Amino acid sequence: MSEKLSEKFMRGELLNVNCPSREVLKRITSRWSVLVFLALREETLRFSTLRRKIGGVSERMLAQTLRYMEEDGFVARIAYDVVPPHVEYRLTPLGAEVAGQVIGLADWLESNVHRIVDRAEAHDVT
């Protein structure tokens, strides 16, 4: 019988300091990567449009995040040979798979943020 991923996790692969999955996990779950997954989930966007859609991300940080996501195979960079330069970004099939998981987390967060904020405010009062 095949071992489930959750069983592998409990056994300790991701908990092992030498597990190569940790770097990928760090990249996928960074604040800016999560927001890129959400922004690109249904459309291809130019860099400036993506930056405006996300809000609050610096040009440098978005460029770095997109570079990592491209290296990991989650984002495709499409450069058009025109003047001025025209570059678009879209999720790859692998990126779309990850985005499905990230969207689940984002949905949960949006549905429960009030509980978390209320709890944090109550904690600050005491």
Side-chain angles (χ1 to χ4, degrees), residues 44-82:
T44 299
L45 297 173
R46 291 181 74 168
F47 183 91
S48 58
T49 306
L50 180 59
R51 185 169 176 232
R52 279 192 305 275
K53 187 168 187 172
I54 291 174
V57 63
S58 70
E59 190 171 313
R60 180 176 175 258
M61 185 54 66
L62 181 57
Q64 178 181 336
T65 300
L66 288 167
R67 188 169 40 256
Y68 287 150
M69 293 178 79
E70 185 179 8
E71 288 172 9
D72 291 337
F74 302 134
V75 169
R77 181 181 186 273
I78 306 140
Y80 297 93
D81 191 18
V82 294

mmCIF file of all heavy atoms in Angstrom, residues 44-82:
data_model
loop_
_atom_site.group_PDB
_atom_site.id
_atom_site.type_symbol
_atom_site.label_atom_id
_atom_site.label_comp_id
_atom_site.label_asym_id
_atom_site.label_seq_id
_atom_site.Cartn_x
_atom_site.Cartn_y
_atom_site.Cartn_z
ATOM 1 N N THR A 44 -3.336 35.811 -17.298
ATOM 2 C CA THR A 44 -1.954 36.156 -17.602
ATOM 3 C C THR A 44 -1.833 37.656 -17.441
ATOM 4 O O THR A 44 -2.699 38.408 -17.908
ATOM 5 C CB THR A 44 -1.617 35.743 -19.051
ATOM 6 O OG1 THR A 44 -1.778 34.325 -19.162
ATOM 7 C CG2 THR A 44 -0.206 36.127 -19.427
ATOM 8 N N LEU A 45 -0.776 38.105 -16.756
ATOM 9 C CA LEU A 45 -0.643 39.531 -16.475
ATOM 10 C C LEU A 45 0.745 40.055 -16.807
ATOM 11 O O LEU A 45 1.736 39.339 -16.646
ATOM 12 C CB LEU A 45 -0.918 39.813 -14.986
ATOM 13 C CG LEU A 45 -2.317 39.500 -14.465
ATOM 14 C CD1 LEU A 45 -2.363 39.670 -12.959
ATOM 15 C CD2 LEU A 45 -3.349 40.395 -15.132
ATOM 16 N N ARG A 46 0.796 41.298 -17.201
ATOM 17 C CA ARG A 46 2.062 41.999 -17.348
ATOM 18 C C ARG A 46 2.582 42.348 -15.960
ATOM 19 O O ARG A 46 1.819 42.420 -14.998
ATOM 20 C CB ARG A 46 1.868 43.273 -18.168
ATOM 21 C CG ARG A 46 1.541 42.981 -19.616
ATOM 22 C CD ARG A 46 1.376 44.227 -20.410
ATOM 23 N NE ARG A 46 2.703 44.841 -20.653
ATOM 24 C CZ ARG A 46 2.911 45.817 -21.499
ATOM 25 N NH1 ARG A 46 1.907 46.316 -22.198
ATOM 26 N NH2 ARG A 46 4.110 46.316 -21.667
ATOM 27 N N PHE A 47 3.902 42.576 -15.869
ATOM 28 C CA PHE A 47 4.539 42.848 -14.587
ATOM 29 C C PHE A 47 3.862 44.010 -13.863
ATOM 30 O O PHE A 47 3.510 43.892 -12.686
ATOM 31 C CB PHE A 47 6.034 43.155 -14.807
ATOM 32 C CG PHE A 47 6.792 43.375 -13.537
ATOM 33 C CD1 PHE A 47 7.408 42.320 -12.891
ATOM 34 C CD2 PHE A 47 6.898 44.643 -12.976
ATOM 35 C CE1 PHE A 47 8.113 42.512 -11.710
ATOM 36 C CE2 PHE A 47 7.594 44.852 -11.797
ATOM 37 C CZ PHE A 47 8.207 43.783 -11.168
ATOM 38 N N SER A 48 3.678 45.132 -14.551
ATOM 39 C CA SER A 48 3.108 46.314 -13.894
ATOM 40 C C SER A 48 1.673 46.068 -13.432
ATOM 41 O O SER A 48 1.279 46.526 -12.353
ATOM 42 C CB SER A 48 3.176 47.529 -14.816
ATOM 43 O OG SER A 48 2.501 47.269 -16.026
ATOM 44 N N THR A 49 0.909 45.338 -14.209
ATOM 45 C CA THR A 49 -0.471 45.015 -13.819
ATOM 46 C C THR A 49 -0.479 44.081 -12.618
ATOM 47 O O THR A 49 -1.273 44.261 -11.688
ATOM 48 C CB THR A 49 -1.225 44.376 -15.004
ATOM 49 O OG1 THR A 49 -1.128 45.231 -16.137
ATOM 50 C CG2 THR A 49 -2.684 44.133 -14.658
ATOM 51 N N LEU A 50 0.412 43.111 -12.630
ATOM 52 C CA LEU A 50 0.531 42.181 -11.506
ATOM 53 C C LEU A 50 0.913 42.935 -10.238
ATOM 54 O O LEU A 50 0.334 42.715 -9.170
ATOM 55 C CB LEU A 50 1.571 41.107 -11.832
ATOM 56 C CG LEU A 50 1.843 40.043 -10.790
ATOM 57 C CD1 LEU A 50 0.577 39.270 -10.441
ATOM 58 C CD2 LEU A 50 2.922 39.088 -11.300
ATOM 59 N N ARG A 51 1.855 43.850 -10.358
ATOM 60 C CA ARG A 51 2.296 44.631 -9.195
ATOM 61 C C ARG A 51 1.152 45.468 -8.635
ATOM 62 O O ARG A 51 0.953 45.541 -7.425
ATOM 63 C CB ARG A 51 3.481 45.518 -9.577
ATOM 64 C CG ARG A 51 4.050 46.248 -8.393
ATOM 65 C CD ARG A 51 5.376 46.904 -8.725
ATOM 66 N NE ARG A 51 5.808 47.664 -7.579
ATOM 67 C CZ ARG A 51 6.166 48.930 -7.631
ATOM 68 N NH1 ARG A 51 6.183 49.573 -8.779
ATOM 69 N NH2 ARG A 51 6.544 49.559 -6.542
ATOM 70 N N ARG A 52 0.389 46.104 -9.512
ATOM 71 C CA ARG A 52 -0.765 46.893 -9.050
ATOM 72 C C ARG A 52 -1.826 46.003 -8.416
ATOM 73 O O ARG A 52 -2.432 46.364 -7.410
ATOM 74 C CB ARG A 52 -1.379 47.676 -10.211
ATOM 75 C CG ARG A 52 -0.669 48.957 -10.541
ATOM 76 C CD ARG A 52 -1.479 49.840 -11.491
ATOM 77 N NE ARG A 52 -1.867 49.169 -12.723
ATOM 78 C CZ ARG A 52 -1.099 49.085 -13.811
ATOM 79 N NH1 ARG A 52 0.097 49.608 -13.820
ATOM 80 N NH2 ARG A 52 -1.537 48.466 -14.889
ATOM 81 N N LYS A 53 -2.053 44.838 -9.003
ATOM 82 C CA LYS A 53 -3.089 43.925 -8.487
ATOM 83 C C LYS A 53 -2.738 43.440 -7.084
ATOM 84 O O LYS A 53 -3.608 43.342 -6.224
ATOM 85 C CB LYS A 53 -3.267 42.745 -9.441
ATOM 86 C CG LYS A 53 -4.417 41.851 -9.079
ATOM 87 C CD LYS A 53 -4.739 40.876 -10.180
ATOM 88 C CE LYS A 53 -6.002 40.119 -9.836
ATOM 89 N NZ LYS A 53 -6.467 39.307 -10.952
ATOM 90 N N ILE A 54 -1.466 43.140 -6.865
ATOM 91 C CA ILE A 54 -1.044 42.646 -5.548
ATOM 92 C C ILE A 54 -1.054 43.774 -4.526
ATOM 93 O O ILE A 54 -1.513 43.599 -3.409
ATOM 94 C CB ILE A 54 0.340 41.968 -5.633
ATOM 95 C CG1 ILE A 54 0.212 40.665 -6.418
ATOM 96 C CG2 ILE A 54 0.901 41.719 -4.245
ATOM 97 C CD1 ILE A 54 1.524 39.972 -6.701
ATOM 98 N N GLY A 55 -0.527 44.908 -4.855
ATOM 99 C CA GLY A 55 -0.519 46.042 -3.932
ATOM 100 C C GLY A 55 0.487 45.876 -2.809
ATOM 101 O O GLY A 55 0.530 44.841 -2.141
ATOM 102 N N GLY A 56 1.328 46.887 -2.623
ATOM 103 C CA GLY A 56 2.267 46.889 -1.506
ATOM 104 C C GLY A 56 3.582 46.184 -1.752
ATOM 105 O O GLY A 56 4.459 46.216 -0.894
ATOM 106 N N VAL A 57 3.752 45.541 -2.890
ATOM 107 C CA VAL A 57 4.992 44.829 -3.176
ATOM 108 C C VAL A 57 5.909 45.756 -3.976
ATOM 109 O O VAL A 57 5.465 46.441 -4.891
ATOM 110 C CB VAL A 57 4.744 43.500 -3.939
ATOM 111 C CG1 VAL A 57 4.119 43.726 -5.297
ATOM 112 C CG2 VAL A 57 6.027 42.692 -4.062
ATOM 113 N N SER A 58 7.183 45.778 -3.595
ATOM 114 C CA SER A 58 8.130 46.604 -4.337
ATOM 115 C C SER A 58 8.454 45.931 -5.666
ATOM 116 O O SER A 58 8.297 44.717 -5.828
ATOM 117 C CB SER A 58 9.417 46.799 -3.538
ATOM 118 O OG SER A 58 10.151 45.582 -3.471
ATOM 119 N N GLU A 59 8.921 46.726 -6.604
ATOM 120 C CA GLU A 59 9.305 46.194 -7.909
ATOM 121 C C GLU A 59 10.397 45.131 -7.749
ATOM 122 O O GLU A 59 10.344 44.071 -8.365
ATOM 123 C CB GLU A 59 9.797 47.349 -8.786
ATOM 124 C CG GLU A 59 9.999 46.981 -10.224
ATOM 125 C CD GLU A 59 10.278 48.200 -11.091
ATOM 126 O OE1 GLU A 59 9.550 49.201 -10.968
ATOM 127 O OE2 GLU A 59 11.233 48.123 -11.884
ATOM 128 N N ARG A 60 11.366 45.428 -6.899
ATOM 129 C CA ARG A 60 12.484 44.501 -6.665
ATOM 130 C C ARG A 60 11.998 43.171 -6.074
ATOM 131 O O ARG A 60 12.405 42.094 -6.502
ATOM 132 C CB ARG A 60 13.499 45.161 -5.735
ATOM 133 C CG ARG A 60 14.694 44.307 -5.412
ATOM 134 C CD ARG A 60 15.699 45.105 -4.562
ATOM 135 N NE ARG A 60 16.784 44.268 -4.151
ATOM 136 C CZ ARG A 60 16.907 43.732 -2.947
ATOM 137 N NH1 ARG A 60 15.995 43.965 -2.015
ATOM 138 N NH2 ARG A 60 17.928 42.968 -2.642
ATOM 139 N N MET A 61 11.125 43.238 -5.080
ATOM 140 C CA MET A 61 10.643 42.022 -4.424
ATOM 141 C C MET A 61 9.779 41.192 -5.369
ATOM 142 O O MET A 61 9.872 39.963 -5.388
ATOM 143 C CB MET A 61 9.859 42.368 -3.154
ATOM 144 C CG MET A 61 9.426 41.149 -2.361
ATOM 145 S SD MET A 61 10.756 40.000 -1.914
ATOM 146 C CE MET A 61 11.702 40.998 -0.807
ATOM 147 N N LEU A 62 8.950 41.847 -6.162
ATOM 148 C CA LEU A 62 8.128 41.107 -7.116
ATOM 149 C C LEU A 62 9.003 40.443 -8.164
ATOM 150 O O LEU A 62 8.773 39.276 -8.507
ATOM 151 C CB LEU A 62 7.091 42.025 -7.780
ATOM 152 C CG LEU A 62 6.160 41.339 -8.776
ATOM 153 C CD1 LEU A 62 5.398 40.174 -8.135
ATOM 154 C CD2 LEU A 62 5.188 42.351 -9.376
ATOM 155 N N ALA A 63 10.003 41.151 -8.659
ATOM 156 C CA ALA A 63 10.911 40.569 -9.651
ATOM 157 C C ALA A 63 11.628 39.350 -9.076
ATOM 158 O O ALA A 63 11.735 38.305 -9.740
ATOM 159 C CB ALA A 63 11.922 41.611 -10.122
ATOM 160 N N GLN A 64 12.088 39.443 -7.848
ATOM 161 C CA GLN A 64 12.772 38.314 -7.196
ATOM 162 C C GLN A 64 11.823 37.140 -6.998
ATOM 163 O O GLN A 64 12.171 35.990 -7.273
ATOM 164 C CB GLN A 64 13.341 38.757 -5.851
ATOM 165 C CG GLN A 64 14.030 37.656 -5.086
ATOM 166 C CD GLN A 64 14.556 38.146 -3.735
ATOM 167 O OE1 GLN A 64 14.798 39.327 -3.540
ATOM 168 N NE2 GLN A 64 14.719 37.238 -2.813
ATOM 169 N N THR A 65 10.613 37.426 -6.540
ATOM 170 C CA THR A 65 9.617 36.375 -6.321
ATOM 171 C C THR A 65 9.284 35.669 -7.629
ATOM 172 O O THR A 65 9.251 34.439 -7.688
ATOM 173 C CB THR A 65 8.340 36.974 -5.692
ATOM 174 O OG1 THR A 65 8.682 37.567 -4.435
ATOM 175 C CG2 THR A 65 7.268 35.917 -5.487
ATOM 176 N N LEU A 66 9.068 36.438 -8.688
ATOM 177 C CA LEU A 66 8.758 35.844 -9.989
ATOM 178 C C LEU A 66 9.929 35.018 -10.514
ATOM 179 O O LEU A 66 9.736 33.954 -11.102
ATOM 180 C CB LEU A 66 8.373 36.927 -10.992
ATOM 181 C CG LEU A 66 7.004 37.565 -10.750
ATOM 182 C CD1 LEU A 66 6.849 38.833 -11.579
ATOM 183 C CD2 LEU A 66 5.884 36.581 -11.031
ATOM 184 N N ARG A 67 11.143 35.468 -10.277
ATOM 185 C CA ARG A 67 12.330 34.720 -10.713
ATOM 186 C C ARG A 67 12.381 33.361 -10.006
ATOM 187 O O ARG A 67 12.601 32.329 -10.622
ATOM 188 C CB ARG A 67 13.596 35.537 -10.445
ATOM 189 C CG ARG A 67 14.851 34.951 -11.025
ATOM 190 C CD ARG A 67 16.058 35.881 -10.979
ATOM 191 N NE ARG A 67 16.208 36.666 -9.763
ATOM 192 C CZ ARG A 67 15.928 37.975 -9.644
ATOM 193 N NH1 ARG A 67 15.451 38.634 -10.685
ATOM 194 N NH2 ARG A 67 16.115 38.608 -8.507
ATOM 195 N N TYR A 68 12.166 33.359 -8.685
ATOM 196 C CA TYR A 68 12.142 32.096 -7.937
ATOM 197 C C TYR A 68 11.017 31.190 -8.424
ATOM 198 O O TYR A 68 11.204 29.987 -8.594
ATOM 199 C CB TYR A 68 11.969 32.336 -6.435
ATOM 200 C CG TYR A 68 13.175 32.885 -5.722
ATOM 201 C CD1 TYR A 68 13.024 33.707 -4.610
ATOM 202 C CD2 TYR A 68 14.471 32.580 -6.125
ATOM 203 C CE1 TYR A 68 14.122 34.215 -3.928
ATOM 204 C CE2 TYR A 68 15.574 33.081 -5.450
ATOM 205 C CZ TYR A 68 15.387 33.896 -4.358
ATOM 206 O OH TYR A 68 16.474 34.389 -3.674
ATOM 207 N N MET A 69 9.849 31.775 -8.638
ATOM 208 C CA MET A 69 8.703 30.978 -9.066
ATOM 209 C C MET A 69 8.921 30.405 -10.463
ATOM 210 O O MET A 69 8.478 29.295 -10.753
ATOM 211 C CB MET A 69 7.421 31.804 -8.993
ATOM 212 C CG MET A 69 7.025 32.165 -7.572
ATOM 213 S SD MET A 69 5.540 33.176 -7.473
ATOM 214 C CE MET A 69 4.287 31.907 -7.711
ATOM 215 N N GLU A 70 9.628 31.149 -11.303
ATOM 216 C CA GLU A 70 9.964 30.648 -12.633
ATOM 217 C C GLU A 70 10.991 29.513 -12.517
ATOM 218 O O GLU A 70 10.858 28.475 -13.174
ATOM 219 C CB GLU A 70 10.511 31.778 -13.498
ATOM 220 C CG GLU A 70 10.772 31.373 -14.925
ATOM 221 C CD GLU A 70 11.298 32.507 -15.792
ATOM 222 O OE1 GLU A 70 11.612 33.599 -15.266
ATOM 223 O OE2 GLU A 70 11.398 32.278 -17.008
ATOM 224 N N GLU A 71 12.008 29.687 -11.674
ATOM 225 C CA GLU A 71 13.017 28.642 -11.456
ATOM 226 C C GLU A 71 12.381 27.348 -10.957
ATOM 227 O O GLU A 71 12.796 26.258 -11.343
ATOM 228 C CB GLU A 71 14.064 29.113 -10.440
ATOM 229 C CG GLU A 71 15.011 30.160 -10.947
ATOM 230 C CD GLU A 71 15.899 30.723 -9.847
ATOM 231 O OE1 GLU A 71 15.906 30.190 -8.712
ATOM 232 O OE2 GLU A 71 16.604 31.721 -10.118
ATOM 233 N N ASP A 72 11.384 27.481 -10.087
ATOM 234 C CA ASP A 72 10.717 26.310 -9.513
ATOM 235 C C ASP A 72 9.680 25.705 -10.448
ATOM 236 O O ASP A 72 9.109 24.661 -10.154
ATOM 237 C CB ASP A 72 10.049 26.684 -8.179
ATOM 238 C CG ASP A 72 11.062 26.992 -7.089
ATOM 239 O OD1 ASP A 72 12.214 26.524 -7.186
ATOM 240 O OD2 ASP A 72 10.701 27.708 -6.128
ATOM 241 N N GLY A 73 9.414 26.368 -11.571
ATOM 242 C CA GLY A 73 8.478 25.832 -12.556
ATOM 243 C C GLY A 73 7.026 26.180 -12.300
ATOM 244 O O GLY A 73 6.128 25.571 -12.889
ATOM 245 N N PHE A 74 6.767 27.181 -11.461
ATOM 246 C CA PHE A 74 5.395 27.558 -11.139
ATOM 247 C C PHE A 74 4.855 28.663 -12.048
ATOM 248 O O PHE A 74 3.656 28.791 -12.230
ATOM 249 C CB PHE A 74 5.281 28.026 -9.686
ATOM 250 C CG PHE A 74 5.720 27.001 -8.686
ATOM 251 C CD1 PHE A 74 6.548 27.347 -7.635
ATOM 252 C CD2 PHE A 74 5.316 25.676 -8.783
ATOM 253 C CE1 PHE A 74 6.961 26.409 -6.707
ATOM 254 C CE2 PHE A 74 5.726 24.725 -7.860
ATOM 255 C CZ PHE A 74 6.554 25.099 -6.817
ATOM 256 N N VAL A 75 5.757 29.480 -12.584
ATOM 257 C CA VAL A 75 5.370 30.627 -13.399
ATOM 258 C C VAL A 75 6.132 30.582 -14.716
ATOM 259 O O VAL A 75 7.314 30.249 -14.742
ATOM 260 C CB VAL A 75 5.675 31.952 -12.652
ATOM 261 C CG1 VAL A 75 5.528 33.154 -13.561
ATOM 262 C CG2 VAL A 75 4.767 32.112 -11.453
ATOM 263 N N ALA A 76 5.439 30.919 -15.783
ATOM 264 C CA ALA A 76 6.078 31.058 -17.091
ATOM 265 C C ALA A 76 6.195 32.543 -17.408
ATOM 266 O O ALA A 76 5.239 33.301 -17.223
ATOM 267 C CB ALA A 76 5.261 30.360 -18.174
ATOM 268 N N ARG A 77 7.376 32.939 -17.856
ATOM 269 C CA ARG A 77 7.631 34.319 -18.273
ATOM 270 C C ARG A 77 7.596 34.334 -19.796
ATOM 271 O O ARG A 77 8.343 33.616 -20.449
ATOM 272 C CB ARG A 77 9.000 34.762 -17.772
ATOM 273 C CG ARG A 77 9.373 36.167 -18.118
ATOM 274 C CD ARG A 77 10.785 36.474 -17.580
ATOM 275 N NE ARG A 77 11.126 37.855 -17.765
ATOM 276 C CZ ARG A 77 11.688 38.357 -18.868
ATOM 277 N NH1 ARG A 77 11.982 37.566 -19.884
ATOM 278 N NH2 ARG A 77 11.976 39.636 -18.944
ATOM 279 N N ILE A 78 6.707 35.157 -20.341
ATOM 280 C CA ILE A 78 6.548 35.238 -21.789
ATOM 281 C C ILE A 78 7.030 36.615 -22.224
ATOM 282 O O ILE A 78 6.417 37.632 -21.887
ATOM 283 C CB ILE A 78 5.079 35.031 -22.201
ATOM 284 C CG1 ILE A 78 4.556 33.723 -21.608
ATOM 285 C CG2 ILE A 78 4.929 35.037 -23.710
ATOM 286 C CD1 ILE A 78 3.166 33.803 -21.093
ATOM 287 N N ALA A 79 8.145 36.652 -22.966
ATOM 288 C CA ALA A 79 8.717 37.918 -23.427
ATOM 289 C C ALA A 79 8.426 38.073 -24.914
ATOM 290 O O ALA A 79 8.717 37.180 -25.708
ATOM 291 C CB ALA A 79 10.216 37.938 -23.161
ATOM 292 N N TYR A 80 7.865 39.210 -25.275
ATOM 293 C CA TYR A 80 7.559 39.514 -26.672
ATOM 294 C C TYR A 80 8.663 40.416 -27.230
ATOM 295 O O TYR A 80 9.117 41.338 -26.552
ATOM 296 C CB TYR A 80 6.194 40.195 -26.785
ATOM 297 C CG TYR A 80 5.070 39.309 -26.320
ATOM 298 C CD1 TYR A 80 4.620 39.353 -25.001
ATOM 299 C CD2 TYR A 80 4.477 38.403 -27.182
ATOM 300 C CE1 TYR A 80 3.594 38.527 -24.566
ATOM 301 C CE2 TYR A 80 3.442 37.575 -26.757
ATOM 302 C CZ TYR A 80 3.011 37.643 -25.444
ATOM 303 O OH TYR A 80 2.002 36.821 -25.009
ATOM 304 N N ASP A 81 9.069 40.152 -28.440
ATOM 305 C CA ASP A 81 10.137 40.906 -29.087
ATOM 306 C C ASP A 81 9.567 42.165 -29.728
ATOM 307 O O ASP A 81 9.406 42.247 -30.947
ATOM 308 C CB ASP A 81 10.841 40.025 -30.123
ATOM 309 C CG ASP A 81 12.114 40.656 -30.643
ATOM 310 O OD1 ASP A 81 12.635 41.578 -29.984
ATOM 311 O OD2 ASP A 81 12.583 40.228 -31.717
ATOM 312 N N VAL A 82 9.229 43.127 -28.876
ATOM 313 C CA VAL A 82 8.662 44.391 -29.336
ATOM 314 C C VAL A 82 9.317 45.536 -28.565
ATOM 315 O O VAL A 82 9.956 45.324 -27.542
ATOM 316 C CB VAL A 82 7.126 44.435 -29.130
ATOM 317 C CG1 VAL A 82 6.426 43.418 -29.998
ATOM 318 C CG2 VAL A 82 6.759 44.252 -27.674
#
